[in-house]
Amino acid sequence: MVTNRDLIELSPKIMIPTLYDYWVHDVEVLKGKGKYELYPGNPYETVINTRPAISFYNDNNPDWLNVMIFYHVLGHIDFFQNNLYFRHTWDYDFTGQALSDKRLIARLRSEKGRQVDYIIEFSRGIDNIVSYFGELSKVNRPSFTAGTSKRLDFYFDVFLQSHKKVNISDYIKEIERYNQSIKDYGTLGEASFFADVELKHPEFKAVFKKSLEKKPDRDPDLLSFLMSKSEFLNKEENKWMKSVMQVVLNTSLFFQPQIRTKIMNEGWASYWHETLFMQDDRIKGHEVDFARVNAGVTSMPRVGLNPYALGMRMFYNIENMADLGKYSIEFRQISDAIERDNFNKNTNAGREYIFKIRENFDDFLFVNTFIDQDFVDLHKLFVVGKRINRAKMTWEYYVQSRSAKDYKQMVIDTLYHPPCIEVDLDKTDDSRLYLQHRFEEKPLVQEFIANTMMGIEYLWGGTVNLETSEVAASKPLTGFYAPGPPSAQPQEPEKQKIQWQRVLYTMEKRKLTRRILYAVDSK
Amino acid sequence: MNNKLQKYYEQIKARGLTHKQEEIILEELNFQGFHDIPDMLSHERKNSFQPMPESIYEYTDLLMLHKASPPYINYSTCLRSLDELLERDKMREKDGFPRKIRVGRLVKPGKSGKDKIVVVPTTVEEKFIHDSVRPPEEGGESGGSGEGEEGEIIGEQPIRDPEGSGAGPGEGQGGPHEMESSAYDLGKILTEKFELPNLKDKGKKRSLTRYTYDMTDRHRGFGQFLDKKATLRRIVETNIGLGNLPDVGKINPQDFLISPADRIYRILSREKDYESQAMIFFLRDYSGSMMGKPTELVVSQHVLIYSWLLYQYDKQVESRFILHDTEAHEVPDFYTYYNSKVAGGTKVASAFRMVNEIVEKENLAKDYNIYIFHGTDGDDWDTEGKETIPEIEKSLVYTNRVGITIAAHSSAQGNKTEVEKYLETSGLLKEKPSLIRLDVMQKDADEPRIIEGIKTLIS
C-alpha cells in the first residue's frame, strides 16, 4: 500500500525503489518526442517484474478497485513469467540485484566522484542499442552439439556456402555423401568423410584452423564490445568502469521485454482483470463502479491508440476465432463471406490458443499476425491523420484509412524500435571504432549524435566513426500549404519522395565532423 | 488606407528615396496580412494533443487504473537543487564536456500583468534514436475508432491553445506564479548559467533602502501637526457614541463635546523608502514588416533582459513599455507589450522621442539608472535616421545603455538594414561604445544566439 505521493516519487526510478541513483533521474526530463525511446521501461507500472513480484496499491483507492487492480497485476505477473521474451529475467530477483548495483555505484561514487556519473551517462547513451535478441538467443539456444563437430558445422555452414559458394544440388549431394558415410562406417564415418573432403579441397584444413583462431564475433553489441575490446576500459585503473557499464547494460536488458510487449501485456492484464473480477463476489454492489472504471481503461478511444483496449480486444478476438476453428487452412480456403461468417468447428480451443500466444509473441508479431480486415471492421478501427488547417489555424484530425494494412502499419510505426547500430569489425582497428547504422528509411535524431558519440569516444579511448543515412532533400511542398486564401485546403498529401544520403560522422578529440559519403537510391 | 501614413509617405518621397527603400515602405503601407504575435511555445506544443496520449507507451497502469495524476515535479523543487546542478554543469565544462542543463523557459502572458514565466531546468539524455520524416505541416498518425468515412474530419484542435496552457512541467498545479518572482529566478539562472557580466555601478547610491522623514504617522493627544479632518471625524464618532447627535440633518457643532484624545496629530516619523534603481524602457517595433519571427525574437530577448535586470537590481526595477509603428504608444504592462499587434509603417524616431519626453517630464535621469532596449527588424521609413539619430543622441546623455536589437529579415541578408546603416554612419557606435550597442541577428536565430546578443548589448 502506498500513497499517491509515494507513487510519484517512485516514478522517476521506474517504480523500482532500489534503482541506482543518477542525477538525471532527479531532474525533470524533457517531455515529448522520443520519450519512451529515451526511457524505456514502463515508468508508471503498478507491478514490477522481480522475484517475488512487487505490486503497488494506492491507499486512496476503494477496496473493490484494489481487488480489480490485483487481478490486473496477476495478469501482468503471469505474462512476465510465461512470455518467452522475458526468459532472461526469470531467474533472479531484480530488486535485490538493483539494490546491490545501487550500493556498488554509491561506493564507486564515493571513491571516484563524478566520473561515475559520466560513465553512467555515456553507457546510458547507448543502452538502447544493446543486443537484446542476442541475449535472448543465448538463453533460448538449445544445447544441441549432439553428434556434430565444429569441423562439420564449419564445413557445411561456412566453407561450402561462403568459400566455395557451391550450388544447392551440390550442397545436397555433399549432405547425402556425409549421411552415406555415417551409414557405412559408423563412428568412423566423419573421419572418412573428411578424408575425402581434404582430397577434394586441400585448403580446407588451413581455412578451418584459421577460423578457429578468429573468435566468432557475431553482432557484437556496442556496450559489450566496448567492455571487452576498449584498451582504455581495460587499463588496470579503469576496470571499475566496466562494472558500472555492466549495471547499465543489465538494467537495460531487464526492461527491454517490457517495452516490447506493451500492447500484449496490457491487453492480457485487462483481459484477465475483467474475466476474473466478474466472477469474484467482491464485485457485488460495485458492478456499476467497475463498469465505469473498466470502460475508462478498456474502451477504444475515438482518437488515440489505447494498448489496453487494443490488446484486450485482440485477445478476445483471437480466442473467439480459435474457438470457432478459424485458424485453419480449411477456413482460409473459404472465400464466400457468408460461409466465412457461419464457419464454426466448435473446437473450444480458444483459451488454450491465447495462452500460446501470450507465451510466444511480442507486440510486433502480435500486431503483424492478428490484425486483419475482419478485426478492423469489427471494431470500426481506422488510421487518424493529422494536418494543419492554415485558414483556421487548427490541427485537423481526419479518417485517413480504414484498411487493415494501413492500420497495422500505423500500429507498428508506433512501436519501440531502436536503431540497429553495429560495430563494423572490418573497418574497426586498434584506434578507430567504426559503427554502421543500418538503413531503415529513418534518420537518427541529429542533435543527439554529438554527445552520444562523445560518450562512445570516451569509453573507447579513440576515434569513433558512425555511418548513417540522412535526408538529403525531399521534394518541397512549396505552394502546397503556402499561407493564402482559405480555399488552399490540402487534399490527401502525396507521399514525399525522399532523397537519402549516406553520411559519415567522426568524433575525434571531442570534435564532431560530418562528411557525405554517397547518395542512396530509395524505392 | 491610413491617410496620415499616406501623407507621411509622400513627404519622405519628396525628400527622395531609392527604389529599394520605396519598395519596403510601400509594402508596409499596403500591408494587408495579419500580424499575430507568434506563439513562443508553439514548437513545443505542436506535438502534443491534449485529449490523448501520443503513443501507446504513455498509457500506464498508474494513470489508467489508479487514476493518479502524472508525476509532477514542482519547478521550485528543481530550483532548489539548481545550485547543485549548475555546479555540476560547471564541472562538466572543466572536464571538457559540453554543458547539459538547459534552462527551460515557459512564458505565459496573462491578463493584467500576471504573466507566468515558469523556469525549469531540464536535461535530456542523448541517445541514438530514430527521427521521423514527415511533411512539415502534417502531424503523426494515430489510431481511431468509430464512425466516419475516409477523409472525413473528426476533430480539430487549435494550434495555439487559447488557454495558453503550455506543455511541460509547472503547468496546472502549484498555483499561479507571480511574474516578478519567476522572472527574478530566470534572471538568477541567466546570470549564473551564462555568466553575463554584472552591471557597472553608475556611481549612484547602491543602498536598497533609504529613509525619509515625513509626517506620516498619526497620534492621538499630541504631536506636531493637527490633522483636522481626522480629528473632526473622531469628534463626530465620539458624539454619536454619546448620543449627542440625534438628527444628522441638523448639526450644531457647538454642542459637541471634545475630548483631548479626539485630537489627532501627525508626527514626524522615519519612513523606509525603497529606491528604484533602474528604469528600463522596452521599445518594440510592431510595424507590419515585423510579422512573425522578428517579433518573437525581440520579445524573447526582452523577456530575458527584463529578468536579468530584475535579478541584477534585486527587484528594484521599474519598467516602461513602448510600442511603435510610425507613432509611439506607451502600454501599461508586459502583457499588453507582448500581445499588442498593429500593422503600420515604421518610424523608429517616434519611440526614442517618447522616451526622451517621459524622462524629461518625470525627471527620471536624476534618480534612475536608465536603460533603453529597442527591438526592430531594421526597417525605417526615416531612411537616413535624420529624425532618429538626434533623438538617440539626446537619450545618450542620461542612459546607462541603449541596446538596439535588429532581427533582420533574411531578404536583407548581405544588405544592411536602414537602422544599421544610419547608426553606423552616425558614428555613435564607435564613439560611445559604453553607451550604445547594436546587435544584429538573422530572424532565424536560436536561443543561444539571443543570449549571445544580450551579452553584446549589456557587457
Side-chain angles (χ1 to χ4, degrees):
Chain A
M1 282 286 172
V2 286
T3 61
N4 233 325
R5 201 187 165 76
D6 295 331
L7 287 174
I8 282 164
E9 276 169 12
L10 278 167
S11 58
K13 297 213 158 188
I14 330 177
M15 303 304 284
I16 292 162
T18 55
L19 203 71
Y20 62 85
D21 295 305
Y22 179 45
W23 65 272
V24 173
H25 290 144
D26 301 331
V27 186
E28 193 27 310
V29 290
L30 281 184
K31 293 193 152 103
K33 195 180 69 170
K35 186 174 175 191
Y36 67 88
E37 291 269 4
L38 296 176
Y39 302 92
N42 196 339
Y44 325 126
E45 200 46 84
T46 53
V47 50
I48 49 180
N49 171 24
T50 182
R51 303 290 155 273
I54 296 176
S55 59
F56 302 98
Y57 301 90
N58 197 333
D59 69 345
N60 270 336
N61 291 342
D63 287 345
W64 68 264
L65 181 59
N66 274 338
V67 172
M68 183 196 110
I69 293 171
F70 173 71
Y71 284 130
H72 190 89
V73 163
L74 281 187
H76 280 314
I77 296 174
D78 173 72
F79 197 88
F80 292 152
Q81 299 190 349
N82 289 288
N83 183 282
L84 290 174
Y85 289 81
F86 289 81
R87 181 70 190 81
H88 64 294
T89 71
W90 286 354
D91 310 324
Y92 70 104
D93 163 17
F94 182 72
T95 40
Q97 179 66 48
L99 181 63
S100 93
D101 291 346
K102 181 193 171 104
R103 286 178 181 150
L104 169 78
I105 284 177
R107 183 173 58 78
L108 286 172
R109 200 178 268 129
S110 72
E111 286 169 19
K112 317 282 179 190
R114 61 180 182 277
Q115 244 200 312
V116 175
D117 289 291
Y118 291 132
I119 305 301
I120 298 178
E121 177 189 330
F122 299 151
S123 310
R124 284 174 66 102
I126 45 177
D127 75 349
N128 59 333
I129 49 175
V130 293
S131 172
Y132 162 65
F133 289 104
E135 181 75 15
L136 269 192
S137 88
K138 244 193 268 168
V139 179
N140 287 332
R141 186 173 298 148
S143 49
F144 66 94
T145 44
T148 63
S149 69
K150 268 193 181 155
R151 180 166 61 157
L152 191 66
D153 284 345
F154 181 78
Y155 180 67
F156 281 103
D157 294 349
V158 183
F159 186 74
L160 286 183
Q161 297 182 47
S162 308
H163 289 260
K164 288 286 149 200
K165 298 194 169 63
V166 297
N167 60 35
I168 293 175
S169 70
D170 286 345
Y171 187 76
I172 291 171
K173 266 184 214 154
E174 275 301 282
I175 294 176
E176 275 168 10
R177 198 170 67 77
Y178 172 75
N179 289 338
Q180 195 59 44
S181 189
I182 297 288
K183 215 184 262 172
D184 293 348
Y185 306 106
T187 46
L188 293 173
E190 192 180 316
S192 148
F193 174 75
F194 274 107
D196 287 345
V197 166
E198 272 156 33
L199 279 178
K200 209 165 142 196
H201 308 293
E203 75 277 24
F204 173 75
K205 216 169 178 175
V207 174
F208 175 58
K209 209 174 154 203
K210 208 174 163 199
S211 82
L212 286 180
E213 286 162 11
K214 199 173 142 201
K215 241 188 122 216
D217 251 323
R218 262 190 63 242
D219 305 330
D221 100 65
L222 186 53
L223 261 170
S224 318
F225 182 83
L226 288 171
M227 283 192 274
S228 66
K229 294 285 154 62
S230 158
E231 267 179 46
F232 171 75
L233 291 173
N234 285 299
K235 280 184 193 155
E236 198 50 49
E237 69 269 25
N238 292 337
K239 276 192 172 153
W240 63 270
M241 295 178 182
K242 294 206 286 183
S243 50
V244 176
M245 292 170 74
Q246 193 65 50
V247 168
V248 173
L249 176 64
N250 290 349
T251 310
S252 169
L253 286 173
F254 181 82
F255 284 116
Q256 290 281 325
Q258 222 148 313
I259 199 94
R260 290 172 190 271
T261 54
K262 178 77 177 173
I263 295 174
M264 285 186 79
N265 201 342
E266 293 301 357
W268 186 251
S270 297
Y271 174 100
W272 284 106
H273 85 234
E274 194 172 283
T275 307
L276 294 172
F277 195 44
M278 298 267 264
Q279 301 166 8
D280 191 307
D281 282 346
R282 282 167 287 192
I283 197 174
K284 289 215 171 94
H286 300 291
E287 290 86 349
V288 176
D289 298 328
F290 167 73
R292 192 180 290 135
V293 169
N294 194 43
V297 176
T298 62
S299 62
M300 278 294 202
R302 179 76 169 140
V303 174
L305 193 60
N306 174 341
Y308 297 75
L310 181 65
M312 188 186 77
R313 276 173 185 66
M314 286 176 71
F315 275 117
Y316 276 126
N317 189 56
I318 293 165
E319 185 179 14
N320 184 37
M321 297 273 282
D323 272 343
L324 301 172
K326 285 188 173 178
Y327 293 118
S328 60
I329 294 179
E330 199 186 339
F331 176 74
R332 270 178 218 165
Q333 283 170 339
I334 303 170
S335 50
D336 183 281
I338 296 169
E339 221 177 300
R340 281 174 79 94
D341 275 352
N342 295 335
F343 187 91
N344 185 356
K345 285 278 167 216
N346 267 323
T347 63
N348 287 326
R351 217 11 101 76
E352 198 192 329
Y353 198 83
I354 57 171
F355 273 104
K356 285 232 171 67
I357 305 299
R358 97 65 172 85
E359 182 175 307
N360 292 296
F361 280 59
D362 72 346
D363 276 348
F364 175 79
L365 277 176
F366 189 57
V367 165
N368 206 28
T369 312
F370 294 110
I371 290 186
D372 54 17
Q373 199 63 51
D374 288 342
F375 179 77
V376 168
D377 292 346
L378 177 68
H379 294 290
K380 297 182 175 150
L381 304 179
F382 54 82
V383 177
V384 176
K386 185 180 171 188
R387 66 189 169 209
I388 285 182
N389 181 337
R390 274 257 162 234
K392 288 163 121 184
M393 285 312 277
T394 51
W395 282 107
E396 264 175 14
Y397 295 82
Y398 62 101
V399 181
Q400 197 177 63
S401 167
R402 284 186 177 277
S403 104
K405 185 170 156 269
D406 294 340
Y407 191 84
K408 196 191 283 188
Q409 192 55 49
M410 178 275 299
V411 179
I412 286 172
D413 284 344
T414 60
L415 294 179
Y416 176 72
H417 183 67
C420 175
I421 296 175
E422 289 169 328
V423 181
D424 187 332
L425 291 173
D426 295 334
K427 293 183 178 167
T428 295
D429 54 40
D430 290 344
S431 61
R432 178 176 305 272
L433 177 68
Y434 200 98
L435 301 173
Q436 286 278 5
H437 173 211
R438 194 190 296 165
F439 180 52
E440 291 179 86
E441 305 217 348
K442 279 179 180 170
L444 297 175
V445 173
Q446 215 166 0
E447 53 174 316
F448 290 172
I449 288 177
N451 272 9
T452 312
M453 285 186 72
M454 186 178 293
I456 302 171
E457 189 201 19
Y458 183 88
L459 296 173
W460 172 247
T463 308
V464 178
N465 290 120
L466 170 71
E467 200 180 306
T468 181
S469 300
E470 284 178 359
V471 176
S474 54
K475 212 169 77 184
L477 288 168
T478 42
F480 205 75
Y481 287 112
S487 64
Q489 188 46 247
Q491 295 304 312
E492 277 300 301
E494 42 183 307
K495 283 262 180 248
Q496 284 182 87
K497 166 102 174 145
I498 296 168
Q499 263 300 316
W500 293 91
Q501 60 191 9
R502 200 74 181 156
V503 173
L504 183 72
Y505 282 96
T506 305
M507 176 60 75
E508 197 164 15
K509 302 207 165 70
R510 299 185 187 175
K511 283 253 162 6
L512 187 71
T513 50
R514 177 178 176 273
R515 184 158 65 87
I516 296 165
L517 294 176
Y518 51 88
V520 183
D521 288 327
S522 64
K523 296 174 274 181
Chain B
M1 174 93 34
N2 188 328
N3 281 336
K4 229 164 138 191
L5 279 184
Q6 185 69 34
K7 232 179 183 170
Y8 180 58
Y9 163 65
E10 277 156 16
Q11 211 178 322
I12 46 180
K13 199 179 169 187
R15 266 193 261 155
L17 287 170
T18 67
H19 177 68
K20 177 101 181 126
Q21 286 166 339
E22 193 171 351
E23 203 175 291
I24 292 173
I25 291 173
L26 276 177
E27 200 179 309
E28 272 191 350
L29 193 63
N30 299 317
F31 185 77
Q32 290 293 331
F34 56 92
H35 180 75
D36 279 326
I37 305 291
D39 186 347
M40 292 169 78
L41 299 173
S42 61
H43 55 284
E44 286 166 38
R45 287 204 199 127
K46 227 171 250 171
N47 293 324
S48 72
F49 175 51
Q50 306 301 338
M52 60 157 190
E54 189 136 287
S55 91
I56 57 169
Y57 301 98
E58 283 165 39
Y59 288 87
T60 64
D61 280 2
L62 202 56
L63 304 183
M64 297 294 285
L65 298 173
H66 288 276
K67 298 268 175 229
S69 47
Y72 161 75
I73 297 169
N74 191 306
Y75 87 97
S76 57
T77 320
C78 299
L79 273 181
R80 219 174 300 140
S81 60
L82 193 69
D83 290 341
E84 189 201 308
L85 290 175
L86 290 170
E87 188 55 32
R88 185 183 284 280
D89 239 17
K90 248 182 218 165
M91 297 314 276
R92 286 183 73 85
E93 214 157 53
K94 205 174 266 178
D95 294 334
F97 301 113
R99 293 187 159 210
K100 218 167 149 55
I101 307 283
R102 299 186 191 179
V103 181
R105 169 181 52 93
L106 304 175
V107 184
K108 191 176 150 189
K111 283 260 182 276
S112 65
K114 280 191 183 147
D115 299 41
K116 275 169 84 169
I117 295 185
V118 183
V119 183
V120 207
T122 57
T123 186
V124 69
E125 296 197 80
E126 286 98 343
K127 291 184 191 207
F128 293 134
I129 59 170
H130 283 142
D131 206 351
S132 56
V133 186
R134 63 167 77 116
E137 306 226 332
E138 264 183 81
E141 290 173 347
S142 169
S145 67
E147 305 299 329
E149 295 291 309
E150 286 187 6
E152 200 174 311
I153 292 163
I154 52 172
E156 282 180 359
Q157 186 201 7
I159 292 172
R160 186 177 179 186
D161 199 329
E163 298 288 300
S165 70
E171 293 295 339
Q173 288 181 50
H177 308 291
E178 273 182 25
M179 162 85 171
E180 295 284 297
S181 68
S182 310
Y184 178 80
D185 291 336
L186 176 60
K188 179 171 186 308
I189 293 163
L190 283 175
T191 307
E192 293 182 6
K193 175 169 165 75
F194 304 109
E195 289 171 6
L196 292 176
N198 286 340
L199 278 182
K200 267 185 224 134
D201 189 356
K202 205 180 165 189
K204 290 205 162 136
K205 291 171 289 202
R206 266 205 81 98
S207 69
L208 296 179
T209 54
R210 63 181 174 191
Y211 295 98
T212 54
Y213 290 86
D214 203 355
M215 308 266 206
T216 39
D217 281 10
R218 290 189 175 142
H219 198 275
R220 285 164 71 177
F222 68 89
Q224 283 87 22
F225 182 79
L226 184 72
D227 186 334
K228 288 179 192 158
K229 197 172 170 184
T231 304
L232 198 59
R233 192 177 286 130
R234 187 82 211 169
I235 292 169
V236 172
E237 270 174 39
T238 310
N239 283 284
I240 291 173
L242 291 170
N244 233 350
L245 214 157
D247 181 2
V248 283
K250 243 167 81 186
I251 294 174
N252 184 0
Q254 288 189 333
D255 295 342
F256 282 171
L257 289 172
I258 298 172
S259 140
D262 284 344
R263 290 176 209 271
I264 309 260
Y265 293 88
R266 296 219 172 216
I267 60 171
L268 199 63
S269 55
R270 196 163 83 147
E271 290 297 312
K272 225 181 196 180
D273 187 17
Y274 286 97
E275 182 181 18
S276 285
Q277 294 261 337
M279 172 73 77
I280 316 167
F281 288 92
F282 288 108
L283 321 181
R284 174 159 84 79
D285 175 359
Y286 67 168
S287 66
S289 59
M290 286 291 287
M291 183 182 73
K293 208 67 185 154
T295 298
E296 184 180 333
L297 279 187
V298 167
V299 174
S300 297
Q301 199 179 42
H302 283 181
V303 167
L304 291 172
I305 294 177
Y306 179 61
S307 309
W308 178 73
L309 280 167
L310 264 184
Y311 175 69
Q312 286 289 325
Y313 278 100
D314 202 18
K315 300 190 193 180
Q316 304 308 314
V317 175
E318 284 177 33
S319 38
R320 308 283 282 258
F321 305 98
I322 291 168
L323 295 161
H324 77 89
D325 51 348
T326 37
E327 283 168 24
H329 303 274
E330 183 171 6
V331 294
D333 53 31
F334 196 80
Y335 175 79
T336 322
Y337 181 70
Y338 177 94
N339 282 298
S340 295
K341 44 190 165 182
V342 83
T346 319
K347 204 165 151 191
V348 174
S350 63
F352 280 95
R353 186 174 304 129
M354 180 164 233
V355 174
N356 289 336
E357 280 167 14
I358 291 174
V359 169
E360 194 183 351
K361 211 164 96 194
E362 299 178 19
N363 200 12
L364 299 175
K366 186 170 138 272
D367 295 327
Y368 290 90
N369 285 303
I370 294 174
Y371 297 87
I372 302 173
F373 294 100
H374 179 235
T376 174
D377 60 353
D379 288 345
D380 194 347
W381 288 16
D382 173 20
T383 50
E384 285 156 39
K386 275 188 186 144
E387 292 174 58
T388 314
I389 293 295
E391 293 296 339
I392 292 180
E393 277 174 337
K394 218 185 271 177
S395 67
L396 290 183
V397 175
Y398 58 79
T399 56
N400 278 28
R401 179 64 54 87
V402 174
I404 297 172
T405 307
I406 298 176
H409 288 280
S410 36
S411 60
Q413 228 154 9
N415 291 328
K416 285 184 175 161
T417 56
E418 305 291 357
V419 175
E420 198 179 349
K421 266 190 267 179
Y422 66 60
L423 272 175
E424 280 181 4
T425 319
S426 75
L428 286 175
L429 293 169
K430 287 215 175 97
E431 281 166 32
K432 298 175 176 166
S434 63
L435 290 179
I436 179 165
R437 295 284 176 83
L438 173 71
D439 180 42
V440 183
M441 52 186 157
Q442 291 305 315
K443 65 170 185 168
D444 49 3
D446 54 3
E447 185 151 319
R449 175 64 188 81
I450 292 176
I451 287 163
E452 228 12 77
I454 298 181
K455 284 190 189 171
T456 315
L457 296 182
I458 289 175
S459 63

